[in-house]
Amino acid sequence: MRAVHRPSLPRTLHPGAWWLWALGLATAASRTTNPLLLVLVLAVAGYVVAARRTSAPWARSYGAFLRLGLVVIAIRVVFQSLFGAAVTGRTVLLTLPQVPLPGWLEGIRIGGAVTAEALASAAYDGLRLAAVLACIGAANALANPKRLLAAMPGALYELGVAVVVAMTFAPQLVGDAARARAARRLRGRADRGLRSLRATAVPLLEGALERSLALAAAMDSRGYGRVGQVPRATRTVTAVLVLGGLVGLCAGAYGLLAADGGPLFGVPMLVAGGAAAVAGLALAGRRAVRTRYRPDPWALPEWLVAASGVAVAAAFTWAASTGVPDVVVSASPLTLPGLPVLPTIGALLGLLPAWCSPPPLPVTGSSGSAGSSDPSSEVLA
């Protein structure tokens, strides 16, 4: 009998659903410069993260992305104050000493008048990028990166293994360095400086070599690297589909971004290129001879979470393409933007995963730790 996955029962949501939801919010944030809508998207992402994140190490990444977003806003405002000349305004806040530049650098200035309109425009752009970063941080905080790589298509599993190895060994290397420095302090030796670095490098390299050998033996015993026998015609069709799909995706993206391209050219090319690429990856996956241990289910909660992200992106995209007022705002003249109804309702749909997704499983023991003494258990799980 097929198991029924109820949202009320604690379980791990498929990481692909979280990434689809987060990418939908990021797409919505990229389509607007209204600070009220951007703050609403940030609030939606933060609420869902607070409601559904676990105590695993990667769940703390959302705060780091928020701090990175604040840095982006500050850098954008500072650069606009020092070098900005594209945005002008009448409300002069202060005047910086201006450096004279040659004529061939016309359009670039260093210093000069700093207007409120220019700072507001820079803050809007920085806030938009900060919102996109926060959405990516939400996906990192909610989705287990190892489970996401385990769910990758068979054609990309070798790339996934390489990424998992890098993600697993990097924290272990930091831990080894901290232990080596602690051992030097206990022996009464200096743990800083060039001499300490030379003395710490040998234990670090020795530990990395031991883990590499243990991982290689574990991977060999589990049959990693085996490939299935695929006819030559299938390999040729796979290469044509993948390359054609990538060309179609590039052409479709150019059609959407170009001023004279329009959606009539970009959207069909994106759809055709994506379909060809997916078909090519599906055919290429036949060469990967492997099994999956405890695959993550894709049930009704996953569909609801993914659909909420798609709905948010669709609402913002339609509003921006049809010219709904206050979706794309201008800082000149400097006025308080309104809150359009359709994007607001669309952004609130992003709150659905806080209730329609199952509660996360509690992380017990060392299952959620970033480092482990057995590299094969962390990488090959």
Side-chain angles (χ1 to χ4, degrees), residues 145-159:
K146 298 174 185 176
R147 301 305 303 170
L148 177 63
L149 292 171
M152 292 179 66
L156 303 177
Y157 93 100
E158 294 179 351
L159 176 62

Side-chain angles (χ1 to χ4, degrees), residues 209-233:
L209 181 60
E210 291 178 354
R211 285 195 302 270
S212 300
L213 294 176
L215 177 62
M219 294 177 68
D220 184 66
S221 63
R222 287 166 171 82
Y224 272 73
R226 294 179 302 165
V227 293
Q229 298 295 329
V230 178
R232 184 175 180 179

Side-chain angles (χ1 to χ4, degrees), residues 23-32 38 41 309 312-314 316-317:
L23 290 177
L25 264 66
T27 302
S30 67
R31 304 295 293 178
T32 180
L38 292 173
V41 171
V312 176
F316 275 72
T317 302

Side-chain angles (χ1 to χ4, degrees), residues 64-74 126-127 129-131 133-134:
F65 277 87
L66 288 180
R67 291 189 290 270
L68 179 61
L70 294 177
V71 173
V72 168
I73 296 175
L127 183 59
L129 182 55
L133 290 174

